[in-house]
Amino acid sequence: MTLGRACVILALAIAPIGAFASIYGARTRRREWVAVGRRSVYALAAVLTVAFIVLESAFLRSDFSFQIVATHSSIATPFFYKAAAMWSSQEGSLLLWMWLLSLWSSLVLFLTRNRLRELAPYATAVLLGFATFFGALVVFLANPFQLLSPAPGDGTGLQPLLRHPSMMIHPPMLYSGYTLFTVPFAFAVAALIARRTDAAWIRATRRFGLAAWCFLGIGILIGARWSWSELGWGGYWAWDPVENAALMPWLAGTAFLHSFMVQEKRGLLKMWNVCLVLGAGILAILGTFLVRSGILQSIHAFGGSTLGVPFLGFIALLVLGSVLLVASRREDLRSPEARSYSPLSRESIFLMNNVLLVGLCFVIFWGTFFPLISEAVTGNKASVGPPWFDRYTVPLAIGLVFLSGLGPLMAWRKTTLAGARRSVQGPGAFAVVVLVALLALGVPAKPGALALFACAAFAIGSVVQELYRGVAVRRATASEVAPVALVSVVRRNRRRYGGYIVHLGIALLFIGVGASAAFQHVRDVRLSPGKTATIGGYAVHYVRATSRVAPEKVTLGAVLDVSKDGRHVTTLRTTRGYYPSPDPTAGPVGQYFDGDSTTEVGLKAGLRRDIWTAVQPDVGAMQKMIDGIDKRFPLAQGDTQRFLLTAVAQRYVAAPPPAVFRLIVSPMVEWIWLGGIVLGLGGLIAIWPPPRAQRSRAPASSWSARLGRELSRA
Amino acid sequence: MQFLLVMLVLCGATALIVSPLYGKRRGLIGDDAEQVALEAARDAKFREIRDAELDFRTGKLSKEDYRALDNSLRSEAIELLRRLDAARGVEVAE
């Protein structure tokens, strides 16, 4: 047995033993058993780290005695992609999931090792329950340490579509998000079991929820960037089931990060928060299930799977367990006293935001699973496309952007009408000015897009106003220059201003989404060298064909000049790479054009607009030549094969057949990525722990004096 | 070599997990639930007081509303500090 295999089997043994020890410790209140449970999580992290290193080193060494390496890497695969190839496989990604789960679980249990003594053991058991499930998958159904004997001399290589720098970090980010969502889930379950539904569990896990939200959000955006710059279809979001699977827990997470504050401050929404956290945790598992099961058609379906049934069983268990637990604890989840909301208060805005977020989540859930629902009801598998999603999600998104501007302007508990008017008039005026300016500049009157821009302008105005006011307050009290005051005020109120900066990022992101969706120009054209097509006011001239032969692929492409009103704007280079199919009967040249192929997009990115193109060379025009060579040299290999491929490539350049180009001019796409960076920065500020306050435990002669002292330190 | 490494990992993990059963810190866990809940409530109350002050200073609350709110929040915070001291077993001064 290899070290890696032994480690995952050991992990599968440790997880249920630790879960049992934790529950036993919680029931008997024995400290040593609780410690056994906690240390089981540390041990799990240690053995899984060893397993991860073993597998990763096998990829980096191109050790093809491991089946997973032979089927997902090759000698020619660049080092950078060898390191990332592990999670392109089902087995490797499940190991990654489990390893990340063990790391985050260890971190939260280490941080709470001397606190939450009633909750932590139950949370440990839940986290180890997740580890047991994934451990069983890795040991029995998706063994990443399967060996081949004899080992092949070379592997089949990494899926060409995944050869993009984003793929190095996109899956770990998503999986970090998914696994981090299990932490609040575990503590929510623990709080319900122990009947401790106060805000303590929220306080302990809020940062983990926020980290999950950040990781998942950034992971989603990196995936969208990959789609835009690597996939040749010309979009960044397709309402694909796997994209939706990541978006749903993120939306639920957004909702509970807001409603947590209402429970912390007012003791309200206990039931709602527990349901949101449990829902986000289950949606995170559902996301993994959708990626790994292949139950729904997806561009992410990189391989078939047999994991559907166990995943469904596990999700059913989570749903049933959560429903029963919440139902049995409904009395504990009631707010201690009836407290009303003022409509003009921040908690009211949060409540509305939660309704919209949950509504959005439901719409996406319905649209994603509609093929299964329709098949179950009618027997026909029908699916819904982007227009269906847009019809429902656009109004909800506009509402959310508006609320992201309104929330910061409202005080907690109650804002007077005069105060609300004072706060709203600046951002409101800014929104109106932006709207009028857009219409005056001749932006087409598309109501959805214009409403989105106005709401985003309102949100930006609101955040800028709040930052300005905060700086003014700081300057008045501490006599600091504006930049120092800005840093001070943000540092002293990280949660508040971190959140505002996230709102700013959301507004920028939605400006990009609205502009690119509403005002994008798309055209598919067939061009020969020397010909020109126009799109969105730009002239795109096909200058010449290109080709390149490398060990792992043959690349055919094109160089295009883009100009506007006679002035050169940019030169775009787009290619299509052809990777050899493993079928040797296809011939030494033909096998390259029968295998996988990927597009390298030609992209000129800018804050005003992106000019995007992807080429589809007409390989069929050369088929006769390819067939002739294959017939004449059926056994060509090595240098001969390369010579023949070069001959075909040179012929393509010398007499290029017309190629099909997709041309896109899309305004403000870069704002989406810019918004993502701002969003991540805001999340980081909000998550950063405040300096540890030294609290006085000595009784004070005056409680007010002590309160003042503790407040200044907090 | 593989076998030795497997045994090393197995022994290390086992020692890490079972050592608390033979350690000195055995016994019953103290109940910190009330203290932890009060600490969470105190921190939330402190944040609320600071938020209210910032809301007032940035013009979202009127002076009257802020005074009333601040007084009420401070009373609640003092009550939480009293209860926290009691939960910690600190002698409470009146």
Side-chain angles (χ1 to χ4, degrees):
Chain A
M1 187 185 293
T2 62
L3 178 62
R5 177 74 175 157
C7 283
V8 290
I9 291 174
L10 189 56
L12 179 58
I14 288 171
I17 291 171
F20 178 78
S22 297
I23 293 169
Y24 182 72
R27 308 301 294 182
T28 59
R29 306 192 68 80
R30 302 293 308 178
R31 185 194 299 270
E32 58 272 23
W33 284 100
V34 171
V36 166
R38 190 175 58 246
R39 282 169 177 244
S40 298
V41 177
Y42 300 159
L44 186 77
V47 297
L48 287 173
T49 301
V50 174
F52 188 86
I53 290 170
V54 167
L55 197 56
E56 193 61 48
S57 69
F59 271 101
L60 295 178
R61 288 182 292 112
S62 290
D63 184 348
F64 300 118
S65 64
F66 287 81
Q67 188 183 44
I68 188 178
V69 180
T71 51
H72 292 86
S73 184
S74 64
I75 292 167
T77 302
F79 183 84
F80 185 69
Y81 293 125
K82 280 181 185 169
M86 180 174 146
W87 42 86
S88 73
S89 69
Q90 174 136 287
E91 298 84 354
S93 62
L94 287 173
L95 180 64
L96 175 70
W97 210 103
M98 203 177 159
W99 180 57
L100 290 170
L101 173 73
S102 70
L103 292 184
W104 300 126
S105 302
S106 297
L107 182 62
V108 71
L109 294 177
F110 179 75
L111 292 175
T112 56
R113 65 195 180 286
N114 296 320
R115 307 171 59 75
L116 295 169
R117 291 176 195 138
E118 250 187 300
L119 305 190
Y122 288 117
T124 308
V126 175
L127 291 167
L128 287 171
F130 280 109
T132 305
F133 172 72
F134 280 92
L137 292 184
V138 168
V139 169
F140 298 117
L141 295 174
N143 174 16
F145 298 100
Q146 188 76 45
L147 297 179
L148 290 176
S149 182
D154 198 357
T156 50
L158 180 64
Q159 229 283 356
L161 276 178
L162 302 178
R163 296 180 196 195
H164 187 271
S166 300
M167 286 303 104
M168 186 85 182
I169 43 175
H170 169 62
M173 294 292 260
L174 286 187
Y175 280 18
S176 289
Y178 286 150
T179 48
L180 276 163
F181 270 128
T182 62
V183 172
F185 178 93
F187 276 83
V189 170
L192 289 172
I193 293 173
R195 295 181 186 272
R196 301 297 313 194
T197 54
D198 49 62
W201 71 273
I202 288 178
R203 183 184 182 230
T205 60
R206 188 192 68 88
R207 283 206 173 82
F208 285 85
L210 189 51
W213 183 86
C214 282
F215 275 119
L216 200 54
I218 293 169
I220 290 169
L221 283 173
I222 289 172
R225 183 81 177 87
W226 166 70
S227 178
W228 177 240
S229 61
E230 180 70 9
L231 298 184
W233 67 280
Y236 49 80
W237 193 261
W239 294 111
D240 180 86
V242 172
E243 293 171 351
N244 299 347
L247 189 58
M248 286 187 282
W250 187 83
L251 291 170
T254 313
F256 77 61
L257 286 172
H258 287 88
S259 57
F260 268 7
M261 286 185 258
V262 180
Q263 183 175 343
E264 278 187 304
K265 286 188 194 303
R266 306 286 312 271
L268 301 167
L269 302 179
K270 283 183 181 179
M271 169 83 84
W272 180 250
N273 280 330
V274 160
C275 291
L276 279 178
V277 169
L278 296 179
I282 293 168
L283 286 170
I285 301 294
L286 187 73
T288 313
F289 162 66
L290 282 181
V291 181
R292 290 290 132 216
S293 69
I295 191 168
L296 291 165
Q297 285 294 318
S298 162
I299 55 167
H300 295 75
F302 297 117
S305 169
T306 54
L307 303 182
V309 174
F311 258 110
L312 273 181
F314 187 56
I315 291 168
L317 179 73
L318 291 177
V319 172
L320 193 67
S322 299
V323 170
L324 289 176
L325 200 52
V326 171
S328 68
R329 298 294 190 265
R330 59 189 182 282
E331 288 302 320
D332 300 295
L333 291 168
R334 285 192 205 286
S335 296
E337 57 194 86
R339 292 177 185 177
S340 61
Y341 292 87
S342 161
L344 283 178
S345 66
R346 192 169 289 187
E347 44 268 54
S348 290
I349 304 298
F350 282 3
L351 197 61
M352 284 189 259
N353 134 310
N354 266 238
V355 170
L356 292 188
L357 283 165
V358 172
L360 196 53
C361 199
F362 178 75
V363 165
I364 295 169
F365 184 89
W366 184 262
T368 305
F369 286 94
F370 188 74
L372 297 183
I373 297 165
S374 68
E375 190 176 26
V377 175
T378 66
N380 295 321
K381 204 170 195 169
S383 59
V384 293
W388 184 91
F389 281 101
D390 292 346
R391 192 182 316 142
Y392 299 103
T393 57
V394 168
L396 290 168
I398 292 171
L400 279 170
V401 175
F402 174 69
L403 290 179
S404 75
L406 193 58
L409 302 176
M410 296 292 137
W412 285 97
R413 296 194 183 224
K414 184 185 165 192
T415 308
T416 57
L417 201 57
R421 199 180 301 131
R422 240 190 346 264
S423 292
V424 167
Q425 64 191 13
F430 180 61
V432 171
V433 168
V434 166
L435 194 59
V436 171
L438 288 174
L439 290 170
L441 287 169
V443 171
K446 294 196 174 182
L450 290 176
L452 187 58
F453 294 152
C455 290
F458 177 70
I460 291 169
S462 148
V463 172
V464 170
Q465 176 180 284
E466 284 307 298
L467 284 170
Y468 176 80
R469 286 179 171 181
V471 168
V473 168
R474 179 72 190 168
R475 290 189 73 187
T477 54
S479 306
E480 291 171 345
V481 293
V484 177
L486 177 66
V487 172
S488 299
V489 78
V490 171
R491 200 169 56 194
R492 285 176 62 82
N493 302 277
R494 288 189 172 109
R495 281 174 69 166
R496 173 183 279 234
Y497 288 105
Y500 291 175
I501 291 168
V502 168
H503 286 198
L504 182 66
I506 292 283
L508 295 175
L509 190 152
F510 272 101
I511 288 173
V513 170
S516 57
F519 306 115
Q520 177 171 274
H521 299 274
V522 185
R523 214 182 144 192
D524 290 324
V525 292
R526 189 176 170 84
L527 294 177
S528 296
K531 298 290 181 190
T532 301
T534 56
I535 178 167
Y538 292 88
V540 182
H541 180 68
Y542 181 8
V543 181
R544 60 187 166 84
T546 62
S547 69
R548 185 165 170 263
V549 177
E552 80 281 11
K553 65 176 174 180
V554 174
T555 305
L556 305 179
V559 175
L560 301 114
D561 263 349
V562 181
S563 57
K564 187 169 192 182
D565 302 328
R567 279 185 306 167
H568 178 75
V569 175
T570 187
T571 299
L572 297 176
R573 288 177 175 79
T574 170
T575 60
R576 192 150 181 94
Y578 298 90
Y579 296 80
S581 90
D583 177 13
T585 61
V589 175
Q591 73 175 133
Y592 275 80
F593 298 98
D594 277 359
D596 290 321
S597 58
T598 61
T599 300
E600 201 63 44
V601 168
L603 179 64
K604 168 69 177 171
L607 281 177
R608 283 186 60 213
R609 45 98 197 94
D610 279 12
I611 305 173
W612 184 104
T613 185
V615 66
Q616 179 71 55
D618 185 3
V619 178
M622 298 193 303
Q623 198 60 49
K624 210 170 164 184
M625 179 188 182
I626 293 168
D627 290 344
I629 292 174
D630 283 342
K631 211 168 177 181
R632 211 165 151 196
F633 305 98
L635 301 174
Q637 282 182 326
D639 287 346
T640 315
Q641 185 186 26
R642 196 179 163 108
F643 175 79
L644 297 173
L645 286 167
T646 306
V648 172
Q650 284 175 348
R651 170 70 180 274
Y652 181 79
V653 173
V660 174
F661 294 90
R662 171 158 286 194
L663 305 172
I664 298 176
V665 175
S666 192
M668 301 172 92
V669 179
E670 295 305 302
W671 287 52
I672 299 173
W673 326 128
L674 181 69
I677 292 168
V678 174
L679 186 147
L681 178 71
L684 197 63
I685 290 170
I687 215 169
W688 206 261
R692 205 160 182 80
Q694 296 294 317
R695 295 192 194 287
S696 165
R697 292 194 177 195
S701 54
S702 154
W703 283 103
S704 298
R706 178 174 162 194
L707 176 62
R709 202 166 60 229
E710 293 212 11
L711 263 173
S712 67
R713 287 170 177 158
Chain B
M1 184 64 183
Q2 287 269 333
F3 179 74
L4 281 178
L5 286 171
V6 170
M7 292 313 292
L8 191 68
V9 171
L10 181 65
C11 293
T14 309
L16 177 65
I17 292 168
V18 302
S19 60
L21 296 176
Y22 304 98
K24 287 178 185 166
R25 297 190 65 200
R26 284 180 288 164
L28 293 178
I29 299 170
D31 185 358
D32 72 338
E34 192 189 352
Q35 188 182 322
V36 171
L38 287 169
E39 283 173 359
R42 175 203 59 196
D43 290 353
K45 197 59 68 184
F46 283 3
R47 259 196 308 278
E48 215 176 344
I49 291 171
R50 284 220 308 269
D51 279 346
E53 187 186 353
L54 204 50
D55 283 344
F56 166 61
R57 287 178 181 272
T58 52
K60 291 186 207 100
L61 281 174
S62 68
K63 199 167 187 175
E64 297 73 40
D65 284 345
Y66 170 62
R67 277 194 179 151
L69 180 60
D70 188 57
N71 281 338
S72 137
L73 290 174
R74 282 174 187 268
S75 301
E76 288 167 20
I78 288 171
E79 179 56 27
L80 284 169
L81 288 176
R82 281 181 206 277
R83 287 171 59 195
L84 195 52
D85 277 357
R88 283 172 175 159
V90 176
E91 195 181 326
V92 180
E94 292 302 327

